[in-house]
Amino acid sequence: MVALLSLGLALPALALGLDALRHGLGPDPWAEASRRSGSWALVFLLASLAVTPARQTLRLPALAPLRRVIGLTAFAYAVLHLGVHLGSIGGDVPRLLAEMVSQRNLLFGAVAIALLIPLAATSFDRAIRALGGVAWRRLHRLVFPAAALAIVHFAVSWPQKVDVTEPAVAAGLFAWLVGYRLVAPRGGAPGPAAYAGLAVAAGGVTAALEFAWFALRTQVDPWLVLAANLDPELAPRPAAWVLAAGLGALALRLVGRSARSSRHGSPSRRVPAA
């Protein structure tokens, strides 16, 4: 399973390489390569954080090793993303360092990668044994500020100022993943009511972040954007996508609960002998 997953995780990089060889990255190939590598890095980083909720919701301990694989893949794509940007400026490292200081979006991304370096370096059994379980878990909590900075980098670097669906959805899903860890009991999944509340809360956070974006970064009336969340005739807003994802997690929780009840149902009554 891990080998097949690793192959699947490599496919976006292989597709990017093939498109580069075929000159299929459009008029600005460096920008397109940077966008695609950065987007996949964030997708895999969020996916690595989703492994624990998925494992606990579905009660599938076999999913646990996948978090390490997906996390290392996210780091690899982040390094590729940085390498693509370095290539776009002709490999000029001093210029890269100067840009990281002067440009906020690059600074956010650079700090996110810096936080991921010790996590990637200690994502091996020998490191876990050397650090001890408690210290290792504390160190790997750096993934949360790293993911938050990566989302800020993604949003600030996003070429569109009006259509910010992807950054907003990423932020909302991250809010759900953080909230899950706050409401889940130690070592297990929360109850259905917590899932429902978490879905609504994450959707609300997404709508609030989108409102703040339009208020601070554009000339568009943010109240109109907020009201659009309640208009069924418009395309679904980012908050709706995040709410749907949260309700999907609730559905999985209910299905898993029903399946467990069926497996461990009350024994049938014995008919007394005549």
Side-chain angles (χ1 to χ4, degrees):
M1 183 172 61
V2 171
L4 290 175
L5 177 64
S6 300
L7 179 61
L9 296 176
L11 290 179
L14 294 174
L16 177 59
L18 288 175
D19 286 343
L21 291 174
R22 296 171 180 173
H23 304 285
L25 294 177
D28 191 347
W30 287 110
E32 178 64 14
S34 178
R35 184 193 66 79
R36 284 167 57 172
S37 58
S39 295
W40 280 111
L42 182 56
V43 167
F44 291 137
L45 187 57
L46 293 177
S48 70
L49 292 175
V51 171
T52 294
R55 173 176 60 82
Q56 294 176 345
T57 300
L58 301 174
R59 292 201 173 185
L60 291 175
L63 296 179
L66 303 185
R67 177 173 178 176
R68 183 186 305 185
V69 177
I70 300 173
L72 287 172
T73 302
F75 176 71
Y77 277 86
V79 172
L80 175 61
H81 179 60
L82 178 62
V84 167
H85 180 72
L86 182 60
S88 70
I89 58 175
D92 190 341
V93 175
R95 177 182 169 182
L96 175 66
L97 296 176
E99 288 181 347
M100 288 179 180
V101 174
S102 62
Q103 299 181 31
R104 288 178 300 173
N105 63 323
L106 294 181
L107 179 61
F108 291 137
V111 175
I113 293 177
L115 292 176
L116 292 176
I117 290 174
L119 307 189
T122 57
S123 291
F124 303 96
D125 293 338
R126 183 178 297 179
I128 298 174
R129 290 192 295 268
L131 290 172
V134 175
W136 185 87
R137 284 190 293 271
R138 287 176 179 171
L139 174 65
H140 279 250
R141 288 173 187 162
L142 289 175
V143 68
F144 294 102
L149 288 170
I151 291 171
V152 174
H153 167 71
F154 184 55
V156 176
S157 304
W158 189 247
Q160 299 289 333
K161 296 300 181 184
V162 177
D163 184 6
V164 291
T165 299
E166 290 186 36
V169 169
L173 294 177
F174 178 67
W176 189 95
L177 292 167
V178 173
Y180 176 90
R181 287 161 170 81
L182 296 177
V183 301
R186 186 176 182 84
Y195 277 83
L198 189 55
V200 174
V205 168
T206 307
L209 291 174
E210 188 185 28
F211 177 91
W213 173 271
F214 279 94
L216 299 174
R217 303 274 298 181
T218 74
Q219 301 298 320
V220 179
D221 186 352
W223 293 104
L224 293 177
V225 176
L226 190 63
N229 286 282
L230 304 177
D231 191 339
E233 296 183 358
L234 297 178
R237 304 298 305 171
W241 291 113
V242 172
L243 176 62
L247 294 178
L250 170 61
L252 290 177
R253 179 71 170 90
L254 293 174
V255 169
R257 191 178 190 182
S258 176
R260 288 192 297 274
S261 298
S262 299
R263 289 196 301 266
H264 305 292
S266 57
S268 59
R269 294 180 179 177
R270 293 183 179 180
V271 179

